[in-house]
Amino acid sequence: MPLLQTASPVTFGGSNLDRAAHLRDDPVQLGQIAKAHILVLWRGKVLCQRDSETGLASLCFLPKDAPLFRDLAEEARLFLGLSEDGAAYFAQDLSDWNPELPEGVSLNSFVDLSEQAHPDAPEGAVFLELRSIMITLPPRAAELAATARALLNWHSSHLYCAKCGSPSQMVQAGWQRKCPACGASHFPRTDPVVIMLVTYGDQILLGRSHGWPEGMYSALAGFVEPGETIEAAVRREVLEEAGITTSEVRYVANQPWPYPNSLMFGCLATATSTKITVDPNELGDARWLSRQEAMDVFCGSHPEISSPRKGAIARFLLENWLADRFI
């Protein structure tokens, strides 16, 4: 579904990173790459440095001999790809570190704004929730962070062989797990998700999930089921969640979304009914908004609904619909 012109691009949209898959099974050659940029993650957070003048955070890449890696196994390092100058990008997990957290800090909140400083990290470097900084990252940094976070999420939830139940081992520089007991190979999974802006004339349908921050609404979304097309998943999810029937479904754009391991397929869907019947197991609320109300939401001036997060594909869909860029 082409656009007349492009609005602000989605975060994690890619940077043409050379993933150099031929090196994943060659630890000797990987080890011989003199220059390495290693991104450190702790329980999903990324190590960052803040600019002293602007306060903006950027990813903090460390060399192989950084003190932080003193007690970490090099074999557990994930290879992400190569930069244009031949340097290697890696990711290292530090989730076994157990710092004392301030009272009231929850690492499971929707947007965790707390910061953690490891004693062996460079001065001023802290771990930050990726959601809180994603829109300030350049494309290459965003792709690296999303790839590392998604890969580590997968490894942490696939420690055992799905075939025989034995502990599995990380191989292929992080791009595979191998079971030493039965020989089964397991590969990182990406869950396909449809996210759709449902329209009826000059209205759009927005919904909110249970547990979202107050005032947060977004386009409806759901996982694609086995044996299902993107279009069929859109129609099924809209009907299940809000009781709305749809006809035409058009694909628009996609976005990797490492929360935890998804690829979002952004679509437009034309509604053929307007009566909302919310499934309380799926949504907390859903409502139709006029074009003016949608503009107020986008601009942050709606009295009840907050503006969608910058960098998310839901905002991309809304922005382009408001600007009549879909043809």
Side-chain angles (χ1 to χ4, degrees):
M1 183 60 187
L3 300 181
L4 286 176
Q5 70 181 92
T6 303
S8 49
V10 295
T11 306
F12 312 128
S15 65
N16 297 317
L17 172 68
D18 179 6
R19 301 200 169 201
H22 63 285
L23 294 177
R24 295 173 183 173
D25 200 28
D26 193 341
V28 174
Q29 190 172 349
L30 274 179
Q32 291 174 346
I33 298 177
K35 190 175 182 181
H37 307 294
I38 304 175
L39 179 63
V40 186
L41 290 91
W42 174 74
R43 301 180 187 178
K45 293 186 169 187
V46 289
L47 188 65
C48 298
Q49 283 274 12
R50 288 196 184 278
D51 186 281
S52 59
E53 294 183 1
T54 66
L56 295 178
S58 59
L59 298 187
C60 181
F61 292 95
L62 302 181
K64 291 181 179 180
D65 59 355
L68 195 61
F69 304 134
R70 188 182 301 116
D71 299 319
L72 299 180
E74 186 174 344
E75 295 75 19
R77 196 170 291 161
L78 280 61
F79 173 58
L80 303 178
L82 298 176
S83 65
E84 285 74 10
D85 64 359
Y89 290 113
F90 295 91
Q92 187 96 38
D93 186 35
L94 197 68
S95 292
D96 287 340
W97 175 50
N98 288 298
E100 185 176 346
L101 299 177
E103 187 176 352
V105 169
S106 172
L107 299 180
N108 298 317
S109 61
F110 191 83
V111 177
D112 170 24
L113 298 179
S114 67
E115 302 179 3
Q116 288 74 38
H118 193 282
D120 290 333
E123 184 178 356
V126 292
F127 287 101
L128 299 175
E129 166 56 45
L130 184 56
R131 272 193 178 98
S132 68
I133 62 165
M134 66 182 194
I135 63 169
T136 66
L137 297 178
R140 174 56 54 82
E143 181 176 0
L144 290 168
T147 302
R149 193 182 195 281
L151 268 178
L152 290 174
N153 281 333
W154 176 76
H155 280 290
S156 67
S157 59
H158 289 74
L159 298 175
Y160 298 90
C161 176
K163 186 175 181 180
C164 73
S166 300
S168 59
Q169 299 173 346
M170 190 182 84
V171 296
Q172 291 277 330
W175 291 91
Q176 187 178 333
R177 294 192 72 88
K178 191 81 172 179
C179 177
C182 71
S185 297
H186 306 282
F187 301 88
R189 66 176 287 177
T190 296
D191 298 321
V193 175
V194 288
I195 181 167
M196 42 279 179
L197 194 65
V198 181
T199 66
Y200 187 86
D202 245 14
Q203 299 182 89
I204 60 168
L205 180 68
L206 297 183
R208 60 175 279 109
S209 292
H210 302 285
W212 278 4
E214 187 67 28
M216 180 177 175
Y217 281 72
S218 185
L220 303 190
F223 291 101
V224 181
E225 295 185 344
E228 193 172 43
T229 65
I230 291 174
E231 294 82 0
V234 167
R235 295 188 182 100
R236 175 184 53 78
E237 285 289 343
V238 175
L239 183 61
E240 289 178 355
E241 293 184 352
I244 299 295
T245 57
T246 53
S247 55
E248 182 181 13
V249 174
R250 295 176 289 174
Y251 166 81
V252 176
N254 66 86
Q255 179 182 34
W257 195 243
Y259 306 107
N261 302 73
S262 298
L263 178 62
M264 311 286 285
F265 293 99
C267 299
L268 291 177
T270 302
T272 56
S273 65
T274 58
K275 183 181 179 181
I276 297 174
T277 305
V278 170
D279 181 347
N281 295 315
E282 297 278 352
L283 294 177
D285 186 31
R287 62 172 73 179
W288 289 104
L289 274 69
S290 68
R291 179 173 286 270
Q292 182 57 57
E293 289 175 312
M295 180 64 76
D296 292 341
V297 168
F298 185 80
C299 295
S301 58
H302 194 281
E304 297 177 337
I305 301 176
S306 57
S307 180
R309 288 195 309 274
K310 293 180 179 179
I313 197 169
R315 184 182 178 93
F316 175 86
L317 294 171
L318 178 59
E319 180 178 359
N320 280 280
W321 179 77
L322 286 171
D324 289 323
R325 292 193 179 104
F326 296 122
I327 59 173

